Amino acid sequence: YHGEDGAPGRCQWKARYPFNLTIELRRWAALLSGPVLQVQAVEHLEESAGTIVDPSATALMAILRGLRASVNHSVSTELRPDGTTTVNVGREQAVGTSQGVGAPSALVLPPEFVVAIPLLRGHVDAHGKPVVYKLSVRLRASVDDKANLRLRFAIPALETVLEASYAEIVEQAQAALGAAAPILRAAE
């Protein structure tokens, strides 16, 4: 209402509402920064099992626990009649199951799975329950030079869904305050 030094300001009330992410979203967002080791991914899924809806957390963890990685290097040399040598270097990477790396098996890595999580703290529905969003999580596997299996996670629609969530909270607040108290959303 007044300026920071106590002098009369613009004589307007201002309120701030920070949009804080939920613990569940922060946990999933921690996986989005880059490839993580298989063991780290499984540990995360164990901690967040209650948020995984399709396929079930148990089925997804069984698939990820059963994955195995291999890297095979090969070098062949050929001595030519003219005295020159040809060297061929090859590298093969494979991801498979414990039944046999690279071999066909019943376990197939799903390209994506679905989680159901609240995004913003304090975002509740008309009944006072947290608003939960279903998000598709993209899953990709890769093998590094030391045959470590790494998994990459991405939530392609996260930014769009977060923006919709912000807009819904602003709309609810505007409806509660009425037209006499306009709400402006600013980015920080």
Side-chain angles (χ1 to χ4, degrees):
Y1 194 73
H2 291 290
E4 290 181 18
D5 59 357
R10 297 178 68 194
C11 298
Q12 294 178 334
W13 292 102
K14 293 182 183 179
R16 253 178 88 106
Y17 181 83
F19 294 105
N20 295 316
L21 303 179
T22 61
I23 292 170
E24 296 87 350
L25 179 56
R26 287 192 312 239
R27 281 186 186 147
W28 280 105
L31 282 181
L32 304 179
S33 62
V36 295
L37 291 172
Q38 176 185 18
V39 67
Q40 293 169 326
V42 170
E43 286 172 359
H44 171 80
L45 293 178
E46 288 171 348
E47 292 172 4
S48 302
T51 63
I52 301 169
V53 293
D54 185 34
S56 71
T58 306
L60 186 59
M61 283 187 285
I63 292 168
L64 294 182
R65 282 187 183 116
L67 292 176
R68 301 293 178 258
S70 71
V71 176
N72 295 317
H73 295 273
S74 62
V75 177
S76 64
T77 59
E78 176 187 350
L79 184 59
R80 295 184 181 158
D82 64 357
T84 60
T85 304
T86 302
V87 178
N88 293 315
V89 178
R91 178 175 182 247
E92 290 183 31
Q93 296 176 328
V95 175
T97 67
S98 55
Q99 299 164 349
V101 174
S105 65
L107 293 178
V108 175
L109 185 64
E112 61 184 32
F113 57 94
V114 178
V115 296
I117 57 174
L119 301 180
L120 299 172
R121 282 195 290 168
H123 188 192
V124 294
D125 63 14
H127 304 291
K129 294 184 179 184
V131 176
V132 175
Y133 292 89
K134 287 187 177 182
L135 301 168
S136 293
V137 180
R138 191 179 304 148
L139 174 61
R140 300 292 184 263
S142 61
V143 181
D144 66 14
D145 289 336
K146 296 179 182 177
N148 292 318
L149 178 60
R150 295 187 179 270
L151 300 168
R152 291 183 322 248
F153 297 87
I155 304 176
L158 181 59
E159 193 67 30
T160 304
V161 175
L162 261 175
E163 284 296 324
S165 184
Y166 295 146
E168 186 177 328
I169 290 175
V170 170
E171 186 179 299
Q172 288 172 349
Q174 186 65 66
L177 293 172
I183 294 179
L184 304 174
R185 183 174 153 224
E188 289 188 23

